[in-house]
Amino acid sequence: MTATAPTRPAPPRRRPAERNIPRQETLRGRLRHLRYRASPQQVFAELFEKRWMEPAIPVALLAGVIVFFSIAAPGFASSANLLSTAAELAEMSLICLGMAVVMISGGIDLSVGAMFGLTNMVAILLITVGGVPVVPAILLTVVAGAVLGSLNGVIVAYLKARPFLTTLVTLIIFRGVLNLLDLHFSAQTASVFVTDPVWEWFGSGKVAGLPFSFVTLLVVLVLGHVVLSRSRLGWHVTAVGASRRAARHAGIRVERVLLFSYVAAGALCAVAGVFYAARLSSASARVGEGFELNVLTAVILGGISLAGGKGTVWRAFIGAATISLLGKGLLLMDVGGEVLQTVLAVVLIVAVGLDTKWGKNRGKAIQKTYVNPTLLEYGPLEDIRPGSGSPFEINDRLRDAEAIGLGQVEGPEDVIVDDQGRVYCGTRQGWILRFSGPDFGTREVFARIGGHPLGMAFDAERNLIVCVGGMGLYAVSPDGKHRKLSDETDRTWSRLRDDSRLRMADDVDITPDGRIWFSEATTRFDMADWILDGVEGRPNGRLVCHDPKTGRTRTVLRDLVFPNGVCGAHDGESLLIAQTWLCRILRYWHSGPNRGRLEIFMDNFPGYLDNINRASDGTYWVALNGMRSPAYDLAMRMPKFRRRMMKRIPRDEWLYPSMNHGCVVKVSEAGEVLETFWDPGGEKHATITSMREHDGHLYIGGLENNRVGRVRLS
């Protein structure tokens, strides 16, 4: 394409104004800006992006059950009923947690009800018939539950039997053993009186007014969450459930993981059995009968996938609470058991259907609402055509640029030269290349970092400081060894989205005091879709400072619109910050009497700004990676139009049609344009993103280039 622009007179260059003040100063203009600045759509997208929003349907159903029965069932919301329900809920939830672990690992355990009843019987028999003290009896009962679970685990994991059939058979076996024990010891287990204080504590003890069993459940929930989400064992359980073959290829011992899940299920059933035995002081063959169906219903209702690899302990608890409260509420309303089972079946079908729909459409809803354009307004476009007299007038001074590493480099976003005259640049492969020798004919891989190396700067020890897109801030020593300096900063607690991780560290510079200043262009988009930040136009970026002396990284300025280039000013007290989509340069005073002040240095550039670097004569070099057009300016004033267009037409065909125009601008300390270097049409240097002056030459890099350019300066 050739560069085109409206034939308008060039506006005068103004001295910087204070702060980022909208151009529309009328009341109507301010209200319009405020309307688009407020973003309920963005709040919706970020809220539904949270992982804790996945069980939205089960949580809504649980809330509905509580509200309905609090109104319809007399005594449901009373403290006495809630305390008794908490004790019963604890027992059922422990069993559900065991079932959840097995299902997350890709299995199923239909014997949990039988194990619960059998361990309940074992606890009573150990104390009454065996005469075992309470504490050893409790421990032996838990061990017995683990042994029962291990029987399932050995058959499923090592004998490769199907979990459904295996646990169905062990259900029959465990239930048969329970019937035999009940037949022989029914007199001893029908009613038990144990005066041991530990036994009474397990049955009716309270902590802070809550049943001890419920407090134990909370502890187990926290431990289970930590194990499943923060430990290697938990990751292995999820990986095995997602794909046993992939897990085995990754070196995970699948059999051990499966065995662990079934042992955990058995132990949790035993803990529930102990609490049940202590609370009722009795045991019978009817305990836990048909319980596996209720447990399976609760776990599926909570959102634990039958296919494995998906679920949390909290979701299992939500399902258990829903089923337990539903049963208690229907009981208070004097509804029979047959009706209860029918209601449970209907609730399960409806809830699972809604949860499935929610799971499928939640991602689509986030995708459709995540990009939320706002209102941006610019000053008049300058006439940049040859002969216009504009300071940005097009020329061809880059067409004869010398090519370094032609065809040997991909996407050298930034370029830098060391004190020996060697040229460094990053590539899409995550490498940093170094060109040296006569005519820079020697190419070597200086470092392999990963990500996409963007901005670069040398510190006082000649370490190369690099912003790596998707990874953070890194340092490369003179011998090519790299280390991470920082990949996170302080979080913005007023936002739903956790922005502590550095998603797109962009350009970097180092001030005389040794502090490293760098920009994060956007906290909402990654390297693969950073261009969407331009469609949105919101202040998603920030200025970050890393102090090597303390190792601390902190956010200095928030709410910047795509801060791209960062350059320490010649005065040593301020920084220049290029805002790409605002076509503006800011000056931030980090030291001196104006410390903390933020002002506009230059405004209304005819193109999108990228990196800034110091020139040798007290001026600055600025890269324009593309040019504005009347269509672009109009589109940025119409957020709704941009939202519709981005769903129908590729962005580079309507919003960024001039991204292939290369331009380097030289500006003075007073904010005046001194000269420009153009490559019309981007024949050799398209999408110029950086330039670096060294020893009478200007070195040029570009995100879409296959070379590093070199131009002799007069």
Side-chain angles (χ1 to χ4, degrees), residues 659-706:
M659 291 294 282
N660 60 342
H661 293 274
C663 178
V664 176
V665 182
K666 189 175 186 179
V667 301
S668 69
E669 182 67 44
E672 299 174 348
V673 177
L674 302 177
E675 59 179 325
T676 59
F677 293 76
W678 281 85
D679 180 12
E683 296 180 8
K684 292 187 177 180
H685 293 285
T687 320
I688 292 179
T689 54
S690 65
M691 66 277 108
R692 192 83 59 163
E693 180 184 341
H694 179 78
D695 196 21
H697 290 84
L698 192 65
Y699 295 82
I700 301 168
L703 193 60
E704 305 295 333
N705 291 352
N706 65 347

Side-chain angles (χ1 to χ4, degrees), residues 333-586:
M333 294 179 67
D334 200 21
V335 175
E338 298 80 5
V339 177
L340 174 60
Q341 294 300 322
T342 303
V343 171
L344 289 178
V346 172
V347 169
L348 176 62
I349 293 173
V350 173
V352 171
L354 291 175
D355 195 39
T356 302
K357 283 288 186 181
W358 167 251
K360 288 182 178 180
N361 295 300
R362 174 171 162 267
K364 296 179 182 178
I366 295 173
Q367 185 179 14
K368 290 181 179 180
T369 58
Y370 192 78
V371 180
N372 186 24
T374 190
L375 173 65
L376 292 181
E377 294 181 299
Y378 303 95
L381 269 172
E382 297 203 33
D383 187 353
I384 61 176
R385 294 177 301 177
S388 65
S390 166
F392 293 98
E393 182 179 336
I394 289 178
N395 55 58
D396 59 359
R397 298 176 68 180
L398 293 182
R399 284 191 171 172
D400 296 329
E402 175 188 354
I404 299 175
L406 179 62
Q408 302 178 53
V409 58
E410 296 182 26
E413 200 271 352
D414 197 10
V415 59
I416 195 169
V417 187
D418 65 11
D419 52 7
Q420 300 181 39
R422 296 174 296 187
V423 176
Y424 299 76
C425 65
T427 71
R428 285 197 182 91
Q429 295 91 341
W431 305 342
I432 295 179
L433 300 182
R434 181 167 65 188
F435 294 92
S436 59
D439 300 324
F440 302 98
T442 302
R443 171 189 178 273
E444 58 183 319
V445 179
F446 177 61
R448 302 175 188 267
I449 298 180
H452 194 153
L454 300 176
M456 297 185 289
F458 281 111
D459 66 9
E461 287 75 33
R462 310 313 297 163
N463 297 306
L464 184 60
I465 309 301
V466 187
C467 284
V468 184
M471 295 175 60
L473 187 69
Y474 280 71
V476 184
S477 61
D479 59 359
K481 296 180 180 179
H482 66 272
R483 70 183 191 280
K484 180 178 68 177
L485 296 180
S486 178
D487 62 356
E488 61 182 2
T489 182
D490 41 326
R491 178 179 178 177
T492 307
W493 292 105
S494 60
R495 294 181 178 175
L496 281 170
R497 203 169 196 275
D498 184 358
D499 60 355
S500 59
R501 301 288 292 184
L502 297 173
R503 300 169 69 91
M504 193 175 167
D506 201 329
D507 195 22
V508 61
D509 205 355
I510 303 173
T511 48
D513 57 8
R515 287 183 293 175
I516 301 172
W517 300 81
F518 62 100
S519 63
E520 185 175 23
T522 175
T523 60
R524 281 172 52 78
F525 301 95
D526 296 312
M527 279 295 299
D529 53 6
W530 63 269
I531 199 71
L532 290 176
D533 192 274
V535 177
E536 195 172 73
R538 290 190 173 274
N540 300 322
R542 54 189 172 183
L543 176 69
V544 186
C545 178
H546 175 78
D547 191 344
K549 297 177 182 178
T550 62
R552 182 191 174 196
T553 304
R554 62 187 180 92
T555 300
V556 179
L557 293 177
R558 306 182 191 274
D559 300 327
L560 299 177
V561 178
F562 209 87
N564 206 326
V566 173
C567 174
H570 291 284
D571 55 30
E573 296 181 351
S574 62
L575 295 167
L576 300 184
I577 308 168
Q579 292 186 286
T580 298
W581 312 128
L582 290 184
C583 305
R584 171 186 297 174
I585 300 177
L586 301 176

Side-chain angles (χ1 to χ4, degrees), residues 90-99 109 111-124 126 137-150 174 199 202 213 216 220 262-278 287 291:
E91 296 157 9
M92 181 176 182
S93 296
L94 289 169
I95 303 173
C96 289
L97 294 183
M99 175 72 86
D109 193 346
S111 66
V112 289
M115 286 193 294
F116 169 64
L118 186 54
T119 52
N120 170 63
M121 177 68 75
V122 169
I124 295 294
L126 286 173
I138 292 174
L139 296 177
L140 288 174
T141 301
V142 175
V143 171
V147 170
L148 296 176
S150 67
F174 297 158
W199 187 255
F202 268 74
S213 58
T216 303
V220 172
Y262 282 97
V263 169
L268 289 171
C269 288
V271 174
V274 169
F275 280 117
Y276 185 86
V287 174
F291 214 54

Side-chain angles (χ1 to χ4, degrees), residues 248-267:
R248 187 171 280 109
H249 289 169
I252 297 175
R253 297 183 176 181
V254 175
E255 290 75 14
R256 289 190 180 182
V257 172
L258 291 174
L259 178 61
F260 161 78
S261 65
Y262 282 97
V263 169

